Amino acid sequence: MKTWWRRWRIRIFMILAILGPGFITANVDNDTGGILTYSQAGASFGYTLLWTMIPITLALIVVQEMCARMGAVTGKGLSDLIREEFGLRITFLLLVLLVIVNFTNVVSEFSGIAASMELFHLSKYLSVPVCAALVWVLVVKGDFKVVEKVFLCASVIYITYIIAGVKAGPNWHEALVQTVKLPERSAWSQKGYVYMVVGVIGTTISPWMQFYLQSSLVDKGTTIKNYTKTTLIDVVVGSFFTDIVGWFIVVACAATLYVHGAGAINSAADAASAMLPFAGQYAFILFAAGLFNASLFSASILPLSTAYTVCEGLGVESGLDKKWKDAPFFYWFYTLLIVFGAAVVLIPNFPLIKMIILSQVLNGVLLPVVMIFMLRLINKHELMGKYTNSTWFNWVAYATAGIVIGLSVAMMVMPS
């Protein structure tokens, strides 16, 4: 018995030891947008959006592996490759779209900070400026790698959603059936349903994640020589973990808010009530702590990733290892993203929850554009050599892009 346990303990520690950019990237996506989009999906539509989780997980693994492989083979970030292969003009247009969408995500993260602190009756006019300053100091003046690991360890609080999903007493048979069954045709006639499907896709496979993952692997020094099974395990474990958490968030809210007719979530307090079956009077504290951790982590990493991506695409100096005078555009761009992202949230009566969901829908709309560039790059023999996509990977990736384009168009033309 002891030998069996010792063998499994060694395997668990080995898996934890190799987790890196892939796991971190997937976990970052359990941010404000992820938590509240999954919560909204369960509260508004019950179990009927659970079917998205399996195909989204498959697509997430394929997309993230493509990015990891491109980074390992070329030693370059995604925006750098796009500029080299498609020219500065096209790259600039893509970066403009990415910055617009990413800015809404930055606003979303500060909205999450405001919403979580309001559960403690702390005004956003105090919490948001203080946290914006804290984020800036931690990243610019501190050791970001240490900060990243601290936030990642704190992400263990997401497990409370798995427990909450169990304790909520859901209809397990219906939940499992809805996970493998497509929704009724009538669901597709509801604009709100299509809108939420795009949002769930966008929050799970965010465009900015792909730029961040590829750059992280390049910075880590990953090459095709050391691109081994450990890198793939990192990507796969991260993808499964984030989507399992997402599945249980939907279940928890479906079994509580939806079943009791609460309807759409209009505040963080609404979403926190999904924790009641598990946490009782501590529900708000657990939810607020998880939301605050996720928001503060992403509020630091998302503007940083955007600044890196833009500088990389434009071919200008960037990096926290450089002084302000050596990379002024990088530091100013990062700073302005934080300042304006926080400032927008301070607008009186700003619709926090609506903004958070909208940012994830915009992620979904932009995703196919980024994927098409990725597919063009990864299938170039001159660039990737023998490491181009397999037919199966191409099929999954092109199908994902095509489906999201179709859903985005349908969402736009459907009457309100």
Side-chain angles (χ1 to χ4, degrees):
M1 182 71 177
K2 290 183 178 179
T3 304
W4 174 87
W5 166 241
R6 191 180 299 113
R7 189 182 300 120
W8 271 102
R9 188 171 60 182
I10 292 171
R11 287 179 181 177
I12 291 169
F13 280 129
M14 286 178 65
I15 291 173
L16 292 175
I18 64 176
L19 295 181
F23 187 78
I24 290 171
T25 303
N27 255 278
V28 170
D29 219 37
N30 274 331
D31 60 355
T32 304
I35 292 171
L36 289 175
T37 300
Y38 294 136
S39 299
Q40 189 76 282
S44 298
F45 299 101
Y47 304 111
T48 61
L49 276 161
L50 289 175
W51 68 271
T52 61
M53 290 301 176
I54 293 177
I56 285 176
T57 302
L58 177 63
L60 180 61
I61 292 171
V62 168
V63 171
Q64 300 230 95
E65 195 283 329
M66 284 166 52
C67 281
R69 187 162 20 108
M70 273 198 289
V73 171
T74 65
K76 296 177 181 178
L78 183 55
S79 59
D80 200 6
L81 288 176
I82 292 172
R83 174 171 51 83
E84 290 184 1
E85 297 296 324
F86 299 100
L88 185 58
R89 183 178 297 178
I90 290 178
T91 304
F92 180 78
L93 291 174
L94 176 62
L95 290 176
V96 168
L97 292 174
L98 187 69
V99 168
I100 291 171
V101 173
N102 280 10
F103 180 70
T104 67
N105 281 273
V106 173
V107 173
S108 168
E109 306 309 341
F110 284 109
S111 296
I113 289 172
S116 61
M117 289 297 95
E118 283 177 351
L119 291 176
F120 293 119
H121 307 291
L122 188 64
S123 170
K124 68 179 182 180
Y125 298 107
L126 176 62
S127 63
V128 172
V130 169
C131 288
L134 178 63
V135 161
W136 190 90
V137 171
L138 284 174
V139 173
V140 175
K141 301 296 183 181
D143 187 338
F144 184 68
K145 291 297 179 184
V146 174
V147 173
E148 189 178 61
K149 289 175 182 176
V150 171
F151 277 124
L152 189 60
C153 290
S155 296
V156 72
I157 201 166
Y158 297 144
I159 294 174
T160 58
Y161 267 112
I162 296 177
I163 301 171
V166 174
K167 291 285 188 177
N171 184 327
W172 290 111
H173 178 264
E174 184 180 356
L176 293 173
V177 167
Q178 293 291 351
T179 302
V180 297
K181 175 187 173 185
L182 288 173
E184 299 293 332
R185 186 175 296 180
S186 59
W188 297 107
S189 62
Q190 304 173 51
K191 186 171 184 176
Y193 186 86
V194 177
Y195 184 84
M196 193 54 65
V197 171
V198 176
V200 170
I201 295 170
T203 200
T204 312
I205 319 176
S206 302
W208 73 268
M209 286 172 57
Q210 317 321 319
F211 291 90
Y212 174 73
L213 173 61
Q214 190 162 329
S215 294
S216 295
L217 283 165
V218 171
D219 288 344
K220 191 181 177 183
T222 303
T223 64
I224 200 61
K225 290 182 180 179
N226 56 25
Y227 183 80
T228 59
K229 287 183 179 179
T230 58
T231 307
L232 183 59
I233 291 172
D234 182 28
V235 169
V236 172
V237 170
S239 299
F240 270 104
F241 180 77
T242 190
D243 288 351
I244 287 171
V245 171
W247 190 89
F248 274 99
I249 291 175
V250 175
V251 167
C253 291
T256 52
L257 302 177
Y258 180 78
V259 166
H260 294 100
I265 291 171
N266 296 308
S267 69
D270 293 340
S273 63
M275 302 290 284
L276 284 170
F278 162 57
Q281 61 179 319
Y282 299 109
F284 281 20
I285 296 174
L286 275 172
F287 183 86
L291 185 60
F292 180 75
N293 173 73
S295 303
L296 195 64
F297 183 23
S298 298
S300 61
I301 208 169
L302 209 161
L304 183 64
S305 170
T306 306
Y308 268 116
T309 300
V310 171
C311 291
E312 189 180 83
L314 297 178
V316 299
E317 288 290 341
S318 64
L320 294 172
D321 58 331
K322 294 180 173 60
K323 295 182 178 179
W324 193 295
K325 65 179 181 179
D326 298 323
F329 181 85
F330 169 77
Y331 281 107
W332 274 114
F333 193 76
Y334 174 71
T335 301
L336 291 174
L337 280 172
I338 290 177
V339 170
F340 286 115
V344 169
V345 178
L346 297 180
I347 296 172
N349 301 316
F350 185 75
L352 299 178
I353 304 300
K354 286 185 178 179
M355 182 67 213
I356 290 169
I357 305 298
L358 173 63
S359 69
Q360 306 313 299
V361 173
L362 292 177
N363 277 341
V365 173
L366 181 61
L367 177 64
V369 178
V370 174
M371 286 186 65
I372 288 169
F373 278 107
M374 289 172 56
L375 284 162
R376 292 283 300 278
L377 288 167
I378 205 164
N379 285 303
K380 271 196 158 188
H381 286 278
E382 303 87 355
L383 184 69
M384 296 294 294
K386 65 179 181 179
Y387 299 102
T388 54
N389 261 4
S390 64
T391 302
W392 185 81
F393 262 54
N394 276 335
W395 187 90
V396 173
Y398 275 116
T400 301
I403 290 169
V404 178
I405 289 172
L407 288 170
S408 300
V409 172
M411 178 183 69
M412 293 174 187
V413 299
M414 289 176 74
S416 298

